[in-house]
Amino acid sequence: MLNEQEKIELLRLARSTLEAYLKERRFPRIEPSHARLKENGGAFVTLERFGELRGCIGHLAADKPLSLTVQEMAIEAATGDPRFGAVTEDELPDLEIEISVLADFRKIRDVSEIRIGEHGLIVGDGRRRGLLLPQVAAREGWDVPTFLSATCRKAGLPMDAWRKGGIVIETFTAEVFSEKDLPE
């Protein structure tokens, strides 16, 4: 678990990275001040503009420092999400950044193990995989079957694939925080 100061630092790091990249096309090398942010970690960065999704990209593997993962995913969310055109410098003031720090990946045997609002899902058939963050199901008011069906759809699988077997279902947790949570 990250403390409040670590969360604030990650959010500010994501914003300053976006500003440097969108204004000057450079990747800023910023050394985090908190040791926990130097530890390896996976994360997603979600960008919203006026309450609407503007980009969301993540890195699952905990194979590089969390601070670097967040910087890279901030840029990818702004420029590499295939659902959207690249974020422009003019949009920066209207963006809200949300970070999801990932943990506890686990294959499950029974869908009754899934907890809405606590677990994110990864569903795959060996060739295709789909992932939805824990906050998605909670925000949408989904039950477990709807969450599974939506994750299958994201993987490009039939929505009922999770019922038929041959599908690997993994859960994970995420610590989610955003700029709207920052103290004024």
Side-chain angles (χ1 to χ4, degrees):
M1 298 291 287
L2 299 174
N3 67 38
E4 199 65 25
Q5 292 307 311
E6 292 164 337
K7 292 176 185 178
I8 289 168
E9 184 173 355
L10 271 184
L11 288 164
R12 289 183 177 153
L13 178 66
R15 175 141 318 259
S16 62
T17 298
L18 281 178
E19 288 170 352
Y21 190 81
L22 293 176
K23 291 178 181 179
E24 304 163 17
R25 292 290 181 229
R26 68 176 180 84
F27 187 95
R29 299 288 176 195
I30 303 169
E31 185 70 19
S33 61
H34 293 90
R36 169 67 184 93
L37 306 184
K38 297 175 187 179
E39 295 174 10
N40 289 355
F44 271 71
V45 173
T46 303
L47 305 176
E48 289 188 354
R49 185 169 184 243
F50 305 124
E52 297 292 323
L53 183 64
R54 188 61 182 85
C56 181
I57 299 283
H59 184 75
L60 300 179
D63 59 357
K64 61 182 98 176
L66 180 59
S67 60
L68 181 59
T69 299
V70 166
Q71 283 188 278
E72 291 175 354
M73 293 308 101
I75 291 170
E76 283 300 311
T79 64
D81 189 327
R83 299 171 291 183
F84 306 97
V87 169
T88 65
E89 183 181 344
D90 293 341
E91 292 177 279
L92 272 171
D94 301 320
L95 289 181
E96 181 180 298
I97 299 170
E98 178 181 84
I99 298 172
S100 302
V101 177
L102 309 178
D104 304 325
F105 292 89
R106 180 174 74 84
K107 287 183 185 177
I108 63 167
R109 297 177 188 265
D110 191 285
V111 299
S112 67
E113 298 174 54
I114 299 168
R115 302 286 175 255
I116 298 295
E118 179 182 337
H119 292 136
L121 292 181
I122 302 172
V123 175
D125 69 354
R127 295 179 322 234
R128 298 170 286 188
R129 287 180 12 145
L131 178 146
L132 287 174
L133 294 167
Q135 61 267 37
V136 173
R139 285 181 189 159
E140 297 296 326
W142 291 341
D143 58 12
V144 170
T146 304
F147 193 17
L148 283 159
S149 294
T151 311
C152 286
R153 182 177 62 235
K154 183 117 187 241
L157 299 167
M159 289 179 66
D160 64 348
W162 64 273
R163 296 180 188 271
K164 296 181 177 180
I167 299 295
V168 174
I169 302 171
E170 295 176 82
T171 62
F172 63 92
T173 59
E175 188 170 1
V176 182
F177 48 96
S178 74
E179 289 178 318
K180 69 181 172 198
D181 302 327
L182 289 176
E184 294 297 323

